[in-house]
Amino acid sequence: MAKYSYKCKKQIVKEYVKGNGSYYVLAKKYGVPSDGQVRIWVAAYKKWGDDGLKRLRERRVCSDK
């Protein structure tokens, strides 16, 4: 699975919000394999703003309890 930078995701979302293309068109333009991924980024941006496009970098560790 490819990982996309915050900057790349933000650019795609900005174009979508401005009306510069559909999920499908923007996915094709930027080489994202699925327009569903673009849809997820747009929804995350609308819900959480810029934080919705940033990856969590912390490792989650299970406790031994």
Side-chain angles (χ1 to χ4, degrees), residues 17-33:
V17 170
K18 286 182 181 179
N20 292 340
S22 66
Y23 298 123
Y24 178 79
V25 168
L26 293 171
K28 283 290 231 186
K29 179 178 177 180
Y30 288 96
V32 178

Side-chain angles (χ1 to χ4, degrees), residues 11-41:
Q11 178 64 35
I12 295 169
V13 169
K14 279 176 34 179
E15 285 201 41
Y16 178 81
V17 170
K18 286 182 181 179
N20 292 340
S22 66
Y23 298 123
Y24 178 79
V25 168
L26 293 171
K28 283 290 231 186
K29 179 178 177 180
Y30 288 96
V32 178
S34 168
D35 63 329
Q37 186 61 61
V38 175
R39 185 183 310 264
I40 290 168
W41 293 337

Side-chain angles (χ1 to χ4, degrees), residues 3-6 53-60:
K3 295 191 178 173
Y4 297 89
S5 70
Y6 163 77
L53 301 177
K54 296 177 183 174
R55 292 185 349 182
L56 294 175
R57 297 216 183 254
E58 69 183 49
R59 289 186 162 201
R60 297 179 188 229

Side-chain angles (χ1 to χ4, degrees), residues 38-49:
V38 175
R39 185 183 310 264
I40 290 168
W41 293 337
V42 170
Y45 179 77
K46 286 181 177 179
K47 187 169 184 176
W48 294 296

